[in-house]
Amino acid sequence: AMVDFFTGTIATSKAVVDAFAELLGREDLRNLCDGGESISQMRVFHYLPAQAMDRQCLGSSPHTDWHVITLIARDSRSVLQLADGAGGWANATAEPGELILLVGDWLSSFSQGDFISAPHRVLSPDVGDSLSFVLFFYPSPTARLTHRISNEGKAEALNTVEDSMFELPWGEYVVKKWIQVMANR
């Protein structure tokens, strides 16, 4: 069942990339993402219940995703929130069977800000545990970004875009990023 779900979300990701390429009038987006499925990742996030406290417990701290797009299938017990641009947070909702789509930093940079990588976080459930199945769709390992975008004056700046995102092919960049992530554990 998991392999079928992975295969289905990869096919959905490719269809979304095709739609973004058409919207942007940029056929090269399809080419830059061709082969990305070979290194894309699906992860299962298990959020444990918040302990009885006077404050909410974060299951995932605020961040943006680095890659092209994120597809999320989740239950409704934890709460996915998106930055609302005014300093607050808005709940992202989905009906059972629906996927949530997030734009990543790579696509935001590629589109020169036409599509925004929204900062988001997850609040742990108050009671019981929660699962999210998340596909991180990557561009081709050899893809390179050429356009840097400015975040000046934007309410929510991209928080994971580094110079090396423009200096290295994606495959090398993502290995560097994962080394940083794992070093923080």
Side-chain angles (χ1 to χ4, degrees):
M2 285 303 295
V3 171
D4 291 340
F5 184 72
F6 177 78
T7 302
T9 54
I10 289 291
T12 301
S13 296
K14 288 181 175 185
V16 169
V17 166
D18 286 347
F20 280 131
E22 188 172 321
L23 285 167
L24 292 167
R26 298 276 312 266
E27 180 65 32
D28 55 334
L29 176 60
R30 289 182 181 97
N31 299 332
L32 289 168
C33 291
D34 189 36
E37 66 276 6
S38 67
I39 60 170
S40 293
Q41 293 188 356
M42 175 161 282
R43 298 182 71 192
V44 177
F45 292 92
H46 183 205
Y47 300 104
L48 299 176
Q51 301 300 319
M53 293 188 268
D54 292 334
R55 60 182 172 82
Q56 291 179 318
C57 183
L58 288 179
S60 175
S61 60
H63 65 282
T64 57
D65 294 338
W66 332 318
H67 40 274
V68 181
I69 60 171
T70 304
L71 289 178
I72 305 168
R74 57 189 315 279
D75 62 37
S76 60
R77 289 182 295 278
S78 61
V79 179
L80 174 64
Q81 294 186 318
L82 304 174
D84 66 8
W89 295 93
N91 293 351
T93 59
E95 295 298 320
E98 291 181 340
L99 297 174
I100 295 173
L101 168 70
L102 299 177
V103 169
D105 294 339
W106 193 93
L107 180 57
S108 185
S109 294
F110 177 86
S111 73
Q112 297 182 320
D114 286 342
F115 298 107
I116 302 299
S117 179
H120 55 281
R121 67 183 186 181
V122 177
L123 301 179
S124 291
D126 292 327
V127 178
D129 59 350
S130 177
L131 292 175
S132 291
F133 296 84
V134 181
L135 177 79
F136 300 111
F137 188 72
Y138 289 172
S140 165
T142 59
R144 286 182 177 264
L145 283 171
T146 57
H147 298 92
R148 296 173 197 260
I149 62 172
S150 170
N151 292 314
E152 288 184 38
K154 293 187 179 175
E156 301 293 342
L158 302 175
N159 68 4
T160 59
V161 175
E162 304 165 343
D163 285 342
S164 60
M165 189 179 216
F166 303 93
E167 297 162 355
L168 298 172
W170 177 259
E172 292 176 36
Y173 174 78
V174 79
V175 166
K176 178 182 175 227
K177 287 294 287 186
W178 276 114
I179 288 169
Q180 291 172 345
V181 167
M182 298 313 288
N184 291 328
R185 293 188 174 260

